[in-house]
Amino acid sequence: SLTAHVERTLEAGDDVLALRFTPNGKMLAVALLDHTVKVFFSDTLKFFVSLYGHRLPVMALDVSSDNTLLVTGSSDKNVKLWGLDFGDMHRSLFAHDDAVMAVAFQHGTHYFFSAGKDGKVKYWDADRGELVFVLEGHSGPVWSLSIATGSGVPFLVSGGADRSWRVWVRTDSPVFVEEERELRLEAQMDAADLKRAAHGAGMLDERETTGTAGDTTDSVKAAERIVDALQLADAELTARAAEQTAKRARVSDDGAGAVVRRSGASLDIDVLSELDVESSTNPLLFGLTPSRYVLRIVRGVPRAQLDAALLSLPLDHCVSLLRYVHRLSLIHI
C-alpha cells in the first residue's frame, strides 16, 4: 500500500495561495498573499528567485510544457508572463474586468487560457502577448479551468459560481486575431456609447459626437501603452524597494542576534521619491528613471488622442500616474 510522510516543512511568512511544479519537476513556484511569487529548486527546496510586479495577491499560476514560461493571474485583473531562466517579466496584460482566478497553458504550446470573476474565459498567445478569442457563457465568476492533453476528447472544461461546468470543443473554423480585435473594440465602443447615452446626451463633448471609430481605436491603444508603462515602472520600483529592504535587514540587528525586518514599502510619494533617483539598468526603461520613462511614454501620445486615452484609464492606474506626475513636479524635468 502507498504511504507518505512529511519530509520538510518550510515557513512561507504569509498565506500560500497557489503552487505549481514545472513539468520537468525541477522547480516549484509558490504564490503568497504578499503579492509575490517565489520559485524554489524542488530537490533541495533552495530559494531561486522572487517575482515582483502584481499589486494584489496571485490567485493562480501555471508553467508551459517546455519549462520556460510561468504565467500568473492576480486579483489586480492582470496576467503576467515570466521567464524561468532569470525570473524576468516578459509581458504584463490587462486580462479581465475583475480578478483572475485561473490560468492554464495548452500543452506543447505557448498559448494559455485565463478565467476571471467577470465570467469570461480568454485564450492568449504568450509569445505575442495577444488575446486570440474570448469564450462567454458563464453567468457568474469562473473559478477553475482544465485543458485536455489527449486527442478525441473535449478541449477545455471550465467551472464557475453559476453552478455549472462547461465543456468547450475545438472547431476547425480559423481565428483571425485582427478581426477578433476589431470586433472587441467595436463592442467596447458600443458599450461606451450606451453608457454616455444613459448619462444624458447633453453631457457629450462635441468631439465625442463627431469622432471617428479610428480615433477611438487609437485612443484605446494609447491607453494600453500608458498602462503598460505604469506597470513596468511600478514593477521596477517594487523590485528596488524589495532590494533596499533586504539590504537594510542584513545590516540591522535588534541587539539579541535577531534580524530586524521592515515591512514591504508601498509605492506612496515618499517611497517613490526615495527610490526614483537612479537610472534603471532595465533595457525596457531605456536607461531612464521610472518616472521619466512614464513621462516619455505619455509625451509620445498624440495630443488629439491624449484626453480620450487618459479618460479610459482604470482608476488605479490614474492614481499611479498622478504619483509619477507629482514626483516629476518636485524635480527639474
Side-chain angles (χ1 to χ4, degrees):
S1 62
L2 179 65
T3 61
H5 68 277
V6 176
E7 181 175 333
R8 291 183 62 184
T9 299
L10 279 76
E11 295 296 332
D14 218 325
D15 292 6
V16 178
L17 301 181
L19 307 100
R20 183 73 65 184
F21 278 110
T22 57
N24 60 12
K26 293 184 178 181
M27 292 185 176
L28 172 65
V30 182
L32 301 179
L33 187 63
D34 63 2
H35 316 171
T36 66
V37 175
K38 300 186 184 299
V39 183
F40 301 85
F41 295 102
S42 58
D43 53 352
T44 62
L45 295 181
K46 182 179 179 181
F47 173 75
F48 172 54
V49 69
S50 284
L51 308 180
Y52 300 93
H54 283 291
R55 297 185 176 186
L56 292 173
V58 173
M59 307 304 297
L61 46 82
D62 197 17
V63 181
S64 60
S65 56
D66 60 0
N67 307 286
T68 61
L69 288 180
L70 171 71
V71 59
T72 55
S74 167
S75 295
D76 62 11
K77 309 176 187 179
N78 293 318
V79 162
K80 296 185 185 293
L81 293 158
W82 314 81
L84 283 177
D85 44 2
F86 302 108
D88 54 319
M89 186 197 306
H90 289 191
R91 295 183 185 275
S92 179
L93 306 169
F94 182 75
H96 289 266
D97 296 326
D98 209 328
V100 181
M101 304 306 299
V103 290
F105 271 106
Q106 182 182 354
H107 183 75
T109 74
H110 282 178
Y111 290 91
F112 69 93
F113 285 93
S114 67
K117 292 180 70 175
D118 58 0
K120 297 177 182 178
V121 177
K122 298 186 177 183
Y123 188 54
W124 303 84
D125 183 344
D127 292 329
R128 298 173 60 89
E130 289 185 337
L131 176 60
V132 181
F133 57 75
V134 180
L135 300 175
E136 299 186 69
H138 285 282
S139 59
V142 181
W143 301 128
S144 59
L145 296 171
S146 182
I147 302 178
T149 58
S151 58
V153 294
F155 183 39
L156 173 74
V157 177
S158 59
D162 57 1
R163 301 183 180 182
S164 71
W165 51 283
R166 294 178 180 269
V167 180
W168 308 88
V169 180
R170 185 199 300 270
T171 67
D172 295 328
S173 301
V175 175
F176 300 99
V177 176
E178 291 296 331
E179 291 185 4
E180 292 289 329
R181 182 185 297 114
E182 291 297 328
L183 290 173
R184 288 193 298 272
L185 288 173
E186 289 178 5
Q188 291 174 3
M189 288 185 286
D190 290 342
D193 290 340
L194 290 174
K195 185 175 182 180
R196 286 195 295 267
H199 285 81
M203 299 180 63
L204 287 175
D205 184 82
E206 182 179 356
R207 286 177 299 176
E208 291 177 330
T209 60
T210 59
T212 64
D215 293 336
T216 305
T217 300
D218 291 338
S219 298
V220 170
K221 292 180 178 179
E224 291 176 349
R225 291 198 299 272
I226 295 174
V227 168
D228 289 341
L230 291 170
Q231 291 176 342
L232 187 58
D234 286 350
E236 175 71 17
L237 290 174
T238 301
R240 291 186 183 187
E243 181 179 357
Q244 185 182 87
T245 301
K247 288 181 179 178
R248 293 181 180 180
R250 286 196 294 269
V251 300
S252 300
D253 194 278
D254 63 358
V259 175
V260 178
R261 300 187 181 274
R262 189 181 69 169
S263 60
S266 60
L267 293 181
D268 56 29
I269 189 62
D270 294 332
V271 175
L272 179 59
S273 299
E274 180 183 353
L275 300 175
D276 188 42
V277 293
E278 296 181 358
S279 297
S280 174
T281 58
N282 187 342
L284 296 178
L285 296 181
F286 307 123
L288 302 172
T289 64
S291 60
R292 291 185 183 275
Y293 170 73
V294 171
L295 176 63
R296 173 173 177 166
I297 297 302
V298 174
R299 279 179 169 174
V301 178
R303 185 180 299 273
Q305 302 168 12
L306 185 58
D307 288 349
L310 294 176
L311 286 172
S312 63
L313 289 178
L315 179 59
D316 56 338
H317 290 97
C318 292
V319 174
S320 179
L321 180 59
L322 287 174
R323 282 200 300 266
Y324 288 109
V325 171
H326 181 65
R327 162 63 180 161
L328 289 169
S329 69
L330 301 178
I331 60 177
H332 295 291
I333 300 177

